[in-house]
Amino acid sequence: MNIREETLSHTALLFDANNPRFQDLEDFVVAREERFHETSVQERAYARLKRDENLISVKHSILRNGYVNVERMVVRPYDFQQEKFVVIEGNRRLAAIRWINEGLPDRR
């Protein structure tokens, strides 16, 4: 196992479409790994994350304090597209960062 610290753009990161947080949701459907990069799969994962009431506080914390690297995101290479990585730990932080970059209000 090759573990290293690296700075990546949020645009290189993919949500884990099979995130364990999703598996108890009524509308959860397992996504095939080779489809994680598809826009519809990523949008579905993002929408599920935005339902989390704690996401607004994560967003506000990042806006107030900046992104604090105390709890780093954990990613793994995505085998189906070069230069893409699947987030194993930190999907809510990625969702908050994307939300901030989109300039969207706090309403879901």
Side-chain angles (χ1 to χ4, degrees), residues 56-68 73 92-94 96-97 100:
I56 290 175
S57 64
V58 174
K59 176 187 173 190
H60 286 214
S61 174
I62 291 171
L63 285 169
R64 187 174 41 254
N65 306 310
Y67 185 81
V68 181
M73 289 185 199
R92 287 189 308 172
R93 284 171 272 160
L94 175 58
I97 290 167
I100 291 165

Side-chain angles (χ1 to χ4, degrees), residues 30-95:
V30 173
R32 291 193 335 255
E33 174 86 14
E34 64 269 17
R35 295 191 62 214
F36 277 18
H37 68 280
E38 293 178 12
T39 301
S40 62
V41 174
Q42 287 298 294
E43 286 177 355
R44 191 173 328 120
Y46 186 31
R48 287 181 176 135
L49 287 160
K50 286 173 72 175
R51 287 186 222 162
D52 186 332
E53 293 178 14
N54 294 319
L55 189 59
I56 290 175
S57 64
V58 174
K59 176 187 173 190
H60 286 214
S61 174
I62 291 171
L63 285 169
R64 187 174 41 254
N65 306 310
Y67 185 81
V68 181
N69 272 333
V70 173
E71 283 190 54
R72 290 173 174 79
M73 289 185 199
V74 178
V75 301
R76 64 176 170 75
Y78 179 59
D79 294 334
F80 301 94
Q81 269 193 350
Q82 288 186 345
E83 305 299 318
K84 292 289 184 179
F85 301 84
V86 176
V87 176
I88 298 169
E89 184 62 40
N91 281 276
R92 287 189 308 172
R93 284 171 272 160
L94 175 58

Side-chain angles (χ1 to χ4, degrees), residues 19-33:
N19 186 317
R21 292 180 191 275
F22 301 156
Q23 295 180 12
D24 289 335
L25 299 175
E26 208 171 282
D27 63 345
F28 176 72
V29 177
V30 173
R32 291 193 335 255
E33 174 86 14

